[in-house]
Coordinates of all heavy atoms in Angstrom, one line a residue:
M25 N 11.3 12.2 -22.5 CA 11.5 12.5 -21.1 C 10.4 12.0 -20.3 O 9.2 12.2 -20.6 CB 11.6 14.0 -21.0 CG 12.0 14.5 -19.7 SD 12.5 16.2 -19.8 CE 12.4 16.7 -18.2
A26 N 10.7 11.4 -19.1 CA 9.7 10.8 -18.3 C 8.9 11.9 -17.6 O 9.4 13.0 -17.3 CB 10.3 9.9 -17.2
R27 N 7.7 11.6 -17.3 CA 6.8 12.6 -16.6 C 7.2 12.6 -15.1 O 7.5 11.6 -14.6 CB 5.3 12.1 -16.8 CG 4.4 13.1 -16.4 CD 3.0 12.7 -16.7 NE 2.1 13.4 -15.9 CZ 1.0 13.0 -15.4 NH1 0.5 11.8 -15.7 NH2 0.2 13.7 -14.6
H28 N 7.0 13.8 -14.5 CA 7.3 14.0 -13.1 C 6.4 13.2 -12.3 O 5.2 13.2 -12.5 CB 7.3 15.5 -12.8 CG 7.4 15.7 -11.3 ND1 8.7 15.6 -10.7 CD2 6.6 16.1 -10.4 CE1 8.5 15.9 -9.4 NE2 7.2 16.2 -9.2
K29 N 6.9 12.4 -11.3 CA 6.1 11.6 -10.5 C 5.6 12.4 -9.3 O 6.5 13.0 -8.5 CB 6.9 10.4 -10.0 CG 6.1 9.4 -9.1 CD 7.0 8.2 -8.8 CE 6.3 7.3 -7.8 NZ 7.1 6.2 -7.4
R30 N 4.3 12.5 -9.1 CA 3.7 13.2 -8.0 C 3.9 12.5 -6.7 O 3.7 11.3 -6.6 CB 2.2 13.4 -8.1 CG 1.8 14.5 -8.9 CD 0.3 14.6 -8.8 NE -0.2 15.6 -9.7 CZ -1.5 15.7 -10.0 NH1 -2.4 15.0 -9.3 NH2 -1.9 16.6 -10.8
K31 N 4.2 13.2 -5.6 CA 4.2 12.5 -4.3 C 2.7 12.3 -3.9 O 1.9 13.1 -4.1 CB 4.9 13.4 -3.2 CG 6.4 13.5 -3.4 CD 7.0 14.2 -2.3 CE 8.5 14.3 -2.5 NZ 9.3 13.3 -1.8
R32 N 2.5 11.1 -3.3 CA 1.1 10.8 -2.9 C 0.9 11.3 -1.5 O 1.8 11.4 -0.7 CB 1.0 9.2 -2.9 CG 0.8 8.6 -4.2 CD 2.0 8.5 -5.0 NE 1.8 7.8 -6.3 CZ 2.6 7.2 -7.0 NH1 3.9 7.2 -6.6 NH2 2.3 6.7 -8.1
K33 N -0.4 11.8 -1.3 CA -0.8 12.3 0.0 C -1.2 11.1 0.9 O -2.0 10.2 0.5 CB -2.0 13.2 -0.1 CG -1.6 14.5 -0.8 CD -2.9 15.3 -0.9 CE -2.7 16.6 -1.8 NZ -3.9 17.3 -1.9
V34 N -0.6 11.0 2.1 CA -0.9 10.0 3.1 C -1.4 10.6 4.3 O -0.7 11.6 4.8 CB 0.4 9.1 3.3 CG1 0.2 8.1 4.4 CG2 0.8 8.4 2.0
A35 N -2.5 10.1 4.9 CA -3.0 10.8 6.2 C -2.1 10.6 7.4 O -1.9 11.6 8.1 CB -4.4 10.2 6.5
A36 N -1.5 9.4 7.5 CA -0.6 9.2 8.7 C 0.2 7.9 8.4 O -0.2 7.1 7.6 CB -1.4 9.0 10.0
L37 N 1.3 7.8 9.1 CA 2.1 6.5 9.0 C 1.3 5.4 9.7 O 0.6 5.6 10.7 CB 3.5 6.8 9.6 CG 4.3 7.8 8.9 CD1 5.6 8.0 9.6 CD2 4.6 7.4 7.4
P38 N 1.5 4.2 9.3 CA 0.8 3.0 9.9 C 1.3 2.8 11.3 O 2.5 3.1 11.7 CB 1.2 1.9 9.0 CG 2.4 2.3 8.3 CD 2.3 3.7 8.2
K39 N 0.4 2.4 12.2 CA 0.8 2.1 13.6 C 1.6 0.7 13.7 O 2.5 0.6 14.5 CB -0.4 2.0 14.5 CG -1.1 3.3 14.6 CD -2.4 3.2 15.4 CE -3.1 4.5 15.5 NZ -4.4 4.5 16.1
V40 N 1.2 -0.2 12.8 CA 1.9 -1.5 12.7 C 2.7 -1.5 11.5 O 2.2 -1.3 10.4 CB 0.9 -2.6 12.8 CG1 1.6 -4.0 12.6 CG2 0.1 -2.6 14.0
T41 N 4.0 -1.8 11.5 CA 4.8 -1.8 10.3 C 5.4 -3.1 10.0 O 6.1 -3.3 8.9 CB 6.0 -0.8 10.5 OG1 6.8 -1.1 11.6 CG2 5.5 0.6 10.6
V42 N 5.2 -4.2 10.8 CA 5.7 -5.5 10.5 C 4.6 -6.5 10.9 O 4.1 -6.5 12.0 CB 7.0 -5.8 11.3 CG1 7.5 -7.2 11.0 CG2 8.1 -4.8 10.9
L43 N 4.3 -7.4 9.9 CA 3.3 -8.4 10.2 C 4.0 -9.7 9.7 O 4.7 -9.8 8.7 CB 2.0 -8.2 9.3 CG 1.3 -6.9 9.5 CD1 0.3 -6.8 8.4 CD2 0.6 -7.0 10.9
T44 N 3.8 -10.8 10.5 CA 4.4 -12.1 10.2 C 3.3 -13.2 10.2 O 2.5 -13.3 11.1 CB 5.5 -12.4 11.3 OG1 6.4 -11.3 11.3 CG2 6.2 -13.7 11.0
A45 N 3.4 -14.0 9.2 CA 2.6 -15.2 9.1 C 3.6 -16.4 9.1 O 4.2 -16.6 8.0 CB 1.8 -15.2 7.8
N46 N 3.8 -17.0 10.2 CA 4.8 -18.1 10.3 C 4.2 -19.4 9.9 O 3.6 -20.1 10.6 CB 5.2 -18.2 11.8 CG 6.1 -17.0 12.2 OD1 6.9 -16.5 11.4 ND2 6.0 -16.6 13.4
Y47 N 4.5 -19.7 8.6 CA 4.1 -21.0 8.1 C 5.4 -21.8 8.0 O 6.5 -21.3 7.9 CB 3.6 -20.9 6.7 CG 2.2 -20.1 6.6 CD1 1.8 -19.6 5.4 CD2 1.4 -20.0 7.7 CE1 0.7 -18.9 5.3 CE2 0.2 -19.3 7.6 CZ -0.2 -18.8 6.4 OH -1.3 -18.1 6.3
P48 N 5.3 -23.2 8.2 CA 6.5 -24.0 8.2 C 7.4 -23.8 7.1 O 8.6 -23.9 7.3 CB 5.9 -25.4 8.2 CG 4.5 -25.3 8.7 CD 4.0 -23.9 8.3
N49 N 7.0 -23.5 5.9 CA 7.9 -23.4 4.7 C 8.0 -22.0 4.2 O 8.3 -21.8 3.1 CB 7.4 -24.3 3.6 CG 7.4 -25.8 3.9 OD1 8.3 -26.2 4.6 ND2 6.4 -26.5 3.5
A50 N 7.9 -21.0 5.1 CA 8.0 -19.6 4.7 C 9.5 -19.3 4.3 O 9.7 -18.4 3.5 CB 7.5 -18.7 5.8
N51 N 10.4 -20.0 4.9 CA 11.8 -19.8 4.6 C 12.3 -18.3 4.6 O 13.1 -17.9 3.8 CB 12.1 -20.3 3.2 CG 11.9 -21.8 3.1 OD1 12.2 -22.5 4.1 ND2 11.5 -22.3 1.9
G52 N 11.8 -17.6 5.6 CA 12.3 -16.2 5.8 C 11.9 -15.2 4.7 O 12.4 -14.2 4.5
R53 N 10.8 -15.6 3.9 CA 10.3 -14.8 2.9 C 9.9 -13.4 3.4 O 9.3 -13.3 4.5 CB 9.2 -15.5 2.2 CG 8.6 -14.7 1.0 CD 7.5 -15.5 0.3 NE 8.0 -16.8 -0.2 CZ 7.6 -18.0 0.3 NH1 6.8 -18.0 1.3 NH2 8.1 -19.1 -0.2
E54 N 10.2 -12.4 2.7 CA 9.8 -11.0 3.1 C 9.3 -10.2 2.0 O 9.8 -10.2 0.9 CB 11.1 -10.3 3.7 CG 10.8 -8.9 4.2 CD 12.1 -8.3 4.8 OE1 12.5 -8.8 5.9 OE2 12.6 -7.4 4.2
E55 N 8.2 -9.6 2.2 CA 7.5 -8.6 1.3 C 7.6 -7.2 1.9 O 7.4 -7.1 3.1 CB 6.1 -9.0 1.0 CG 5.8 -10.3 0.3 CD 6.0 -10.2 -1.2 OE1 6.2 -9.1 -1.7 OE2 6.1 -11.3 -1.8
V56 N 7.9 -6.2 1.0 CA 7.9 -4.9 1.5 C 6.8 -4.1 0.8 O 6.7 -4.1 -0.5 CB 9.3 -4.2 1.2 CG1 9.2 -2.7 1.6 CG2 10.4 -4.9 1.9
M57 N 5.9 -3.6 1.6 CA 4.8 -2.8 1.1 C 5.1 -1.3 1.4 O 5.5 -1.0 2.5 CB 3.5 -3.2 1.8 CG 2.3 -2.4 1.4 SD 0.8 -2.8 2.3 CE 0.4 -4.4 1.5
T58 N 4.9 -0.5 0.3 CA 5.2 0.9 0.5 C 4.1 1.6 1.3 O 3.0 1.1 1.5 CB 5.4 1.7 -0.8 OG1 4.1 1.7 -1.5 CG2 6.5 1.1 -1.7
I59 N 4.4 2.8 1.9 CA 3.4 3.5 2.6 C 2.2 3.8 1.7 O 1.1 3.8 2.2 CB 4.0 4.8 3.2 CG1 5.2 4.5 4.1 CG2 3.0 5.7 3.9 CD1 4.9 3.7 5.4
E60 N 2.5 4.1 0.4 CA 1.3 4.4 -0.5 C 0.5 3.2 -0.7 O -0.8 3.3 -0.8 CB 1.8 4.9 -1.8 CG 2.7 6.1 -1.8 CD 4.2 5.8 -1.9 OE1 4.8 5.3 -0.9 OE2 4.7 5.9 -3.0
E61 N 1.1 2.0 -0.8 CA 0.3 0.8 -0.9 C -0.6 0.6 0.3 O -1.7 0.3 0.2 CB 1.2 -0.4 -1.2 CG 1.9 -0.4 -2.6 CD 3.0 -1.4 -2.7 OE1 3.6 -1.8 -1.7 OE2 3.2 -1.8 -3.9
Y62 N 0.0 0.8 1.5 CA -0.7 0.7 2.7 C -1.9 1.7 2.7 O -3.0 1.3 3.1 CB 0.2 1.0 3.9 CG -0.5 1.3 5.2 CD1 -1.0 0.3 6.0 CD2 -0.7 2.6 5.6 CE1 -1.7 0.6 7.2 CE2 -1.4 2.9 6.7 CZ -1.9 1.9 7.5 OH -2.6 2.2 8.6
E63 N -1.6 2.9 2.3 CA -2.7 3.9 2.3 C -3.9 3.6 1.4 O -5.0 3.8 1.8 CB -2.1 5.3 1.9 CG -3.1 6.4 2.0 CD -3.5 6.8 3.4 OE1 -3.1 6.2 4.4 OE2 -4.2 7.9 3.5
T64 N -3.6 3.0 0.2 CA -4.7 2.6 -0.7 C -5.5 1.5 0.0 O -6.7 1.5 -0.1 CB -4.2 2.1 -2.1 OG1 -3.3 1.0 -1.9 CG2 -3.5 3.3 -2.8
V65 N -4.9 0.5 0.6 CA -5.6 -0.6 1.3 C -6.4 0.0 2.4 O -7.6 -0.3 2.6 CB -4.6 -1.7 1.8 CG1 -5.4 -2.7 2.6 CG2 -4.0 -2.4 0.6
R66 N -5.8 0.9 3.2 CA -6.6 1.5 4.3 C -7.8 2.3 3.8 O -8.9 2.1 4.3 CB -5.6 2.5 5.0 CG -6.3 3.1 6.3 CD -5.3 4.1 7.0 NE -5.4 5.4 6.2 CZ -6.4 6.3 6.3 NH1 -7.4 6.1 7.1 NH2 -6.3 7.4 5.6
L67 N -7.6 3.1 2.8 CA -8.7 3.9 2.3 C -9.8 3.1 1.6 O -11.0 3.3 1.8 CB -8.2 5.0 1.3 CG -7.3 6.1 1.9 CD1 -6.8 7.0 0.8 CD2 -8.1 6.9 2.9
I68 N -9.4 2.1 0.8 CA -10.4 1.3 0.1 C -11.0 0.2 0.9 O -12.3 0.1 1.0 CB -9.8 0.7 -1.2 CG1 -9.4 1.9 -2.2 CG2 -10.7 -0.3 -1.9 CD1 -8.5 1.4 -3.3
D69 N -10.2 -0.6 1.6 CA -10.8 -1.7 2.4 C -11.2 -1.4 3.8 O -12.1 -2.0 4.3 CB -9.7 -2.8 2.4 CG -9.5 -3.4 1.0 OD1 -10.4 -3.4 0.2 OD2 -8.4 -4.0 0.8
H70 N -10.5 -0.4 4.4 CA -10.9 -0.1 5.8 C -11.8 1.1 5.9 O -12.9 1.0 6.6 CB -9.6 0.2 6.6 CG -9.8 0.5 8.1 ND1 -10.2 -0.5 8.9 CD2 -9.8 1.6 8.8 CE1 -10.4 0.0 10.1 NE2 -10.1 1.3 10.1
V71 N -11.6 2.1 5.2 CA -12.5 3.3 5.3 C -13.7 3.1 4.4 O -14.8 3.6 4.7 CB -11.7 4.6 4.9 CG1 -12.6 5.8 4.8 CG2 -10.5 4.8 5.8
G72 N -13.5 2.3 3.3 CA -14.7 2.0 2.4 C -14.8 3.0 1.2 O -15.9 3.1 0.6
L73 N -13.8 3.7 0.9 CA -13.8 4.6 -0.3 C -13.7 3.8 -1.6 O -13.2 2.7 -1.6 CB -12.7 5.6 -0.2 CG -12.7 6.6 0.9 CD1 -11.4 7.5 0.8 CD2 -13.9 7.4 1.0
T74 N -14.2 4.4 -2.6 CA -14.0 3.8 -4.0 C -12.6 4.2 -4.4 O -11.9 5.0 -3.7 CB -15.0 4.4 -5.0 OG1 -14.7 5.9 -5.1 CG2 -16.4 4.2 -4.6
Q75 N -12.1 3.6 -5.5 CA -10.8 3.9 -6.0 C -10.8 5.4 -6.4 O -9.7 6.0 -6.1 CB -10.5 3.0 -7.2 CG -10.1 1.6 -6.8 CD -9.8 0.7 -8.0 OE1 -9.7 1.2 -9.1 NE2 -9.6 -0.5 -7.7
S76 N -11.8 5.9 -6.9 CA -11.9 7.3 -7.2 C -11.8 8.2 -6.0 O -11.1 9.2 -6.0 CB -13.2 7.7 -8.0 OG -13.2 7.0 -9.2
G77 N -12.4 7.8 -4.9 CA -12.4 8.6 -3.7 C -11.0 8.5 -3.1 O -10.5 9.5 -2.6
A78 N -10.4 7.3 -3.1 CA -9.0 7.2 -2.6 C -8.0 8.0 -3.4 O -7.1 8.7 -2.9 CB -8.6 5.7 -2.6
A79 N -8.2 8.0 -4.7 CA -7.4 8.8 -5.6 C -7.5 10.3 -5.3 O -6.4 11.0 -5.2 CB -7.7 8.6 -7.1
E80 N -8.7 10.8 -5.1 CA -8.9 12.2 -4.7 C -8.1 12.5 -3.4 O -7.5 13.5 -3.3 CB -10.4 12.5 -4.6 CG -10.7 13.9 -4.4 CD -12.2 14.2 -4.4 OE1 -12.9 13.6 -5.3 OE2 -12.6 14.9 -3.5
R81 N -8.3 11.7 -2.4 CA -7.6 11.9 -1.1 C -6.1 11.9 -1.2 O -5.4 12.6 -0.6 CB -8.0 10.9 -0.1 CG -9.4 11.0 0.5 CD -9.3 11.3 1.9 NE -10.6 11.3 2.5 CZ -11.0 10.5 3.5 NH1 -10.1 9.7 4.1 NH2 -12.2 10.4 3.9
M82 N -5.6 11.0 -2.1 CA -4.1 10.9 -2.3 C -3.5 11.9 -3.3 O -2.3 12.0 -3.4 CB -3.8 9.4 -2.6 CG -4.1 8.5 -1.6 SD -3.7 6.8 -2.0 CE -1.9 6.8 -2.0
G83 N -4.4 12.6 -4.0 CA -3.9 13.6 -5.0 C -3.3 13.0 -6.2 O -2.4 13.6 -6.8
V84 N -3.8 11.8 -6.7 CA -3.3 11.2 -7.9 C -4.5 10.7 -8.7 O -5.7 10.8 -8.3 CB -2.4 9.9 -7.6 CG1 -1.2 10.4 -6.8 CG2 -3.1 8.9 -6.7
A85 N -4.2 10.2 -9.9 CA -5.3 9.7 -10.8 C -5.8 8.3 -10.3 O -5.1 7.6 -9.6 CB -4.7 9.5 -12.2
R86 N -7.1 8.0 -10.6 CA -7.7 6.8 -10.3 C -6.9 5.6 -10.8 O -6.7 4.6 -10.1 CB -9.1 6.7 -10.7 CG -9.8 5.4 -10.2 CD -11.1 5.0 -11.1 NE -10.8 4.9 -12.5 CZ -10.2 3.8 -13.0 NH1 -9.8 2.8 -12.3 NH2 -10.0 3.8 -14.3
T87 N -6.4 5.7 -12.0 CA -5.6 4.6 -12.5 C -4.3 4.3 -11.7 O -3.9 3.2 -11.6 CB -5.3 4.8 -14.0 OG1 -4.6 6.1 -14.1 CG2 -6.5 4.8 -14.9
T88 N -3.8 5.4 -11.2 CA -2.6 5.2 -10.3 C -2.9 4.5 -9.1 O -2.2 3.6 -8.6 CB -2.0 6.6 -10.0 OG1 -1.6 7.3 -11.2 CG2 -0.8 6.5 -9.1
V89 N -4.1 4.9 -8.4 CA -4.5 4.2 -7.2 C -4.8 2.7 -7.6 O -4.4 1.8 -6.8 CB -5.7 4.9 -6.6 CG1 -6.5 3.9 -5.6 CG2 -5.3 6.1 -5.9
Q90 N -5.4 2.5 -8.7 CA -5.7 1.1 -9.1 C -4.4 0.3 -9.2 O -4.4 -0.9 -8.7 CB -6.4 1.1 -10.5 CG -6.9 -0.2 -10.9 CD -7.6 -0.1 -12.3 OE1 -7.4 0.7 -13.1 NE2 -8.6 -1.0 -12.5
A91 N -3.4 0.8 -9.8 CA -2.1 0.1 -9.9 C -1.4 -0.2 -8.6 O -1.0 -1.2 -8.2 CB -1.2 0.8 -10.8
I92 N -1.5 0.9 -7.7 CA -0.9 0.8 -6.4 C -1.6 -0.3 -5.5 O -1.0 -1.1 -4.9 CB -0.9 2.1 -5.7 CG1 0.0 3.1 -6.4 CG2 -0.5 2.0 -4.2 CD1 -0.2 4.6 -5.9
Y93 N -2.9 -0.2 -5.6 CA -3.8 -1.2 -4.9 C -3.6 -2.6 -5.3 O -3.5 -3.5 -4.5 CB -5.3 -0.8 -5.1 CG -6.3 -1.5 -4.3 CD1 -6.3 -1.5 -2.9 CD2 -7.3 -2.3 -5.0 CE1 -7.3 -2.2 -2.2 CE2 -8.2 -3.0 -4.3 CZ -8.2 -3.0 -2.9 OH -9.2 -3.7 -2.2
Y94 N -3.5 -2.8 -6.6 CA -3.2 -4.1 -7.2 C -1.9 -4.7 -6.6 O -1.9 -5.9 -6.2 CB -3.2 -4.1 -8.7 CG -2.9 -5.4 -9.3 CD1 -3.8 -6.4 -9.5 CD2 -1.6 -5.7 -9.8 CE1 -3.5 -7.6 -10.1 CE2 -1.2 -6.9 -10.3 CZ -2.2 -7.9 -10.5 OH -1.9 -9.1 -11.0
N95 N -0.9 -3.9 -6.7 CA 0.4 -4.4 -6.1 C 0.3 -4.7 -4.6 O 0.9 -5.7 -4.2 CB 1.5 -3.3 -6.3 CG 1.9 -3.1 -7.8 OD1 1.7 -4.1 -8.6 ND2 2.4 -2.0 -8.2
A96 N -0.4 -3.9 -3.9 CA -0.5 -4.2 -2.4 C -1.3 -5.5 -2.2 O -0.9 -6.3 -1.4 CB -1.3 -3.0 -1.8
R97 N -2.3 -5.7 -3.0 CA -3.1 -6.9 -2.8 C -2.3 -8.1 -3.2 O -2.4 -9.2 -2.5 CB -4.4 -6.8 -3.6 CG -5.4 -5.7 -3.2 CD -6.1 -6.0 -1.9 NE -6.9 -7.2 -1.9 CZ -8.2 -7.2 -2.0 NH1 -8.9 -6.1 -2.1 NH2 -8.8 -8.3 -2.0
Q98 N -1.5 -8.0 -4.2 CA -0.6 -9.2 -4.6 C 0.3 -9.5 -3.4 O 0.6 -10.7 -3.1 CB 0.2 -8.8 -5.8 CG -0.6 -8.7 -7.1 CD -1.2 -10.1 -7.5 OE1 -0.5 -11.0 -7.6 NE2 -2.5 -10.2 -7.6
K99 N 0.9 -8.5 -2.8 CA 1.9 -8.8 -1.7 C 1.1 -9.4 -0.5 O 1.7 -10.3 0.1 CB 2.5 -7.4 -1.3 CG 3.5 -6.9 -2.3 CD 4.0 -5.6 -2.0 CE 4.9 -5.1 -3.2 NZ 5.5 -3.8 -2.9
M100 N -0.1 -8.9 -0.2 CA -0.8 -9.5 0.9 C -1.2 -11.0 0.6 O -1.1 -11.8 1.5 CB -2.1 -8.7 1.2 CG -1.7 -7.3 1.8 SD -3.2 -6.4 2.4 CE -4.2 -6.3 1.0
A101 N -1.6 -11.2 -0.6 CA -2.0 -12.6 -1.0 C -0.8 -13.5 -0.9 O -1.0 -14.7 -0.4 CB -2.6 -12.6 -2.4
R102 N 0.4 -13.1 -1.3 CA 1.5 -14.0 -1.2 C 1.8 -14.3 0.3 O 2.2 -15.4 0.6 CB 2.8 -13.3 -1.9 CG 2.8 -13.6 -3.4 CD 4.2 -13.2 -4.0 NE 4.5 -11.8 -3.8 CZ 4.1 -10.8 -4.7 NH1 3.4 -11.2 -5.8 NH2 4.4 -9.6 -4.5
L103 N 1.7 -13.3 1.1 CA 1.9 -13.5 2.5 C 0.9 -14.5 3.1 O 1.3 -15.4 3.8 CB 1.8 -12.2 3.3 CG 2.0 -12.3 4.8 CD1 3.4 -12.5 5.2 CD2 1.5 -11.0 5.5
F104 N -0.4 -14.3 2.8 CA -1.4 -15.2 3.3 C -1.2 -16.7 2.8 O -1.4 -17.6 3.6 CB -2.8 -14.8 2.9 CG -3.2 -13.4 3.5 CD1 -4.1 -12.7 2.8 CD2 -2.7 -13.0 4.7 CE1 -4.5 -11.4 3.4 CE2 -3.0 -11.8 5.2 CZ -4.0 -11.0 4.6
V105 N -0.8 -16.8 1.6 CA -0.7 -18.2 1.0 C 0.6 -18.8 1.3 O 0.7 -20.0 1.6 CB -0.9 -18.1 -0.6 CG1 -0.7 -19.4 -1.2 CG2 -2.3 -17.6 -0.9
E106 N 1.7 -18.1 1.2 CA 3.0 -18.7 1.3 C 3.7 -18.4 2.7 O 4.7 -19.0 3.0 CB 3.9 -18.1 0.2 CG 3.4 -18.4 -1.2 CD 4.2 -17.7 -2.3 OE1 5.2 -17.1 -2.0 OE2 3.7 -17.8 -3.4
G107 N 3.2 -17.5 3.5 CA 3.8 -17.1 4.7 C 5.0 -16.2 4.6 O 5.3 -15.8 3.5
G108 N 5.5 -15.7 5.7 CA 6.6 -14.8 5.6 C 6.3 -13.6 6.4 O 5.4 -13.5 7.3
T109 N 7.1 -12.5 6.1 CA 7.0 -11.2 6.8 C 6.6 -10.1 5.9 O 7.2 -10.1 4.8 CB 8.3 -10.9 7.6 OG1 8.6 -12.0 8.5 CG2 8.2 -9.6 8.3
L110 N 5.7 -9.3 6.3 CA 5.3 -8.1 5.5 C 5.8 -6.9 6.3 O 5.4 -6.6 7.4 CB 3.8 -8.0 5.3 CG 3.3 -6.8 4.6 CD1 3.7 -6.9 3.1 CD2 1.8 -6.7 4.7
K111 N 6.7 -6.1 5.6 CA 7.2 -4.8 6.2 C 6.5 -3.7 5.5 O 6.5 -3.7 4.2 CB 8.7 -4.7 6.1 CG 9.4 -5.7 7.0 CD 10.9 -5.5 7.0 CE 11.6 -6.4 8.0 NZ 13.0 -6.1 8.0
I112 N 6.1 -2.7 6.2 CA 5.5 -1.5 5.5 C 6.5 -0.3 5.7 O 6.7 0.1 6.9 CB 4.1 -1.1 6.2 CG1 3.2 -2.3 6.1 CG2 3.5 0.1 5.5 CD1 1.9 -2.2 6.9
E113 N 7.1 0.1 4.6 CA 8.1 1.1 4.7 C 8.4 1.7 3.3 O 8.1 1.1 2.3 CB 9.4 0.6 5.3 CG 10.0 -0.5 4.5 CD 11.2 -1.2 5.1 OE1 11.4 -1.1 6.3 OE2 12.0 -1.8 4.4
G114 N 9.0 2.9 3.3 CA 9.4 3.5 2.1 C 8.3 4.1 1.2 O 7.2 4.1 1.6
G115 N 8.7 4.6 0.1 CA 7.8 5.1 -0.9 C 8.1 6.6 -1.2 O 9.1 7.1 -0.8
D116 N 7.2 7.2 -1.9 CA 7.3 8.6 -2.3 C 6.0 9.3 -1.9 O 5.1 9.3 -2.7 CB 7.6 8.6 -3.8 CG 8.1 10.0 -4.3 OD1 8.5 10.8 -3.4 OD2 8.0 10.2 -5.5
Y117 N 6.0 9.9 -0.7 CA 4.7 10.4 -0.2 C 5.0 11.6 0.6 O 6.1 11.9 1.1 CB 4.0 9.3 0.6 CG 4.8 8.9 1.8 CD1 4.7 9.5 3.1 CD2 5.7 7.9 1.7 CE1 5.5 9.2 4.1 CE2 6.5 7.5 2.8 CZ 6.4 8.1 4.0 OH 7.1 7.7 5.1
N118 N 3.9 12.4 0.9 CA 3.9 13.5 1.9 C 2.8 13.2 2.9 O 1.7 12.7 2.6 CB 3.5 14.8 1.2 CG 4.7 15.3 0.4 OD1 5.8 15.2 0.7 ND2 4.3 16.0 -0.7
I119 N 3.1 13.4 4.2 CA 2.0 13.3 5.2 C 1.1 14.5 5.1 O 1.6 15.7 5.1 CB 2.6 13.3 6.6 CG1 3.6 12.1 6.8 CG2 1.5 13.2 7.7 CD1 3.1 10.8 6.8
S120 N -0.2 14.3 4.8 CA -1.1 15.3 4.6 C -2.5 14.9 5.2 O -3.4 14.5 4.5 CB -1.3 15.5 3.1 OG -2.2 16.5 2.8
P121 N -2.6 15.0 6.6 CA -3.9 14.7 7.2 C -5.0 15.6 6.8 O -4.9 16.8 6.7 CB -3.6 14.8 8.7 CG -2.4 15.7 8.8 CD -1.7 15.6 7.5
E122 N -6.1 14.9 6.4 CA -7.3 15.7 5.9 C -8.5 15.2 6.6 O -8.7 14.0 6.7 CB -7.5 15.6 4.4 CG -6.4 16.2 3.6 CD -6.6 16.1 2.1 OE1 -7.6 15.6 1.7 OE2 -5.7 16.6 1.4

């Protein structure tokens, strides 16, 4: 039986939910970043927390934050290199401002 997935704590929804890098050969490519992925990037890269600190704020294990952060960075890298649109939406989270 699969383990119950905890909802991640997120401080607030992002103000910007669509980013576009218009490169000539982007061909309408679209990446979808979840709210939790956005939150890990915000906490680690913008706020300056460690992965452990971000995990504590989000109410999950450090290894979970590490996996979420890795996926988010991969999506951003594809957008930067290949162009396209990044949408921030969806996921499994609770708004929990702290």
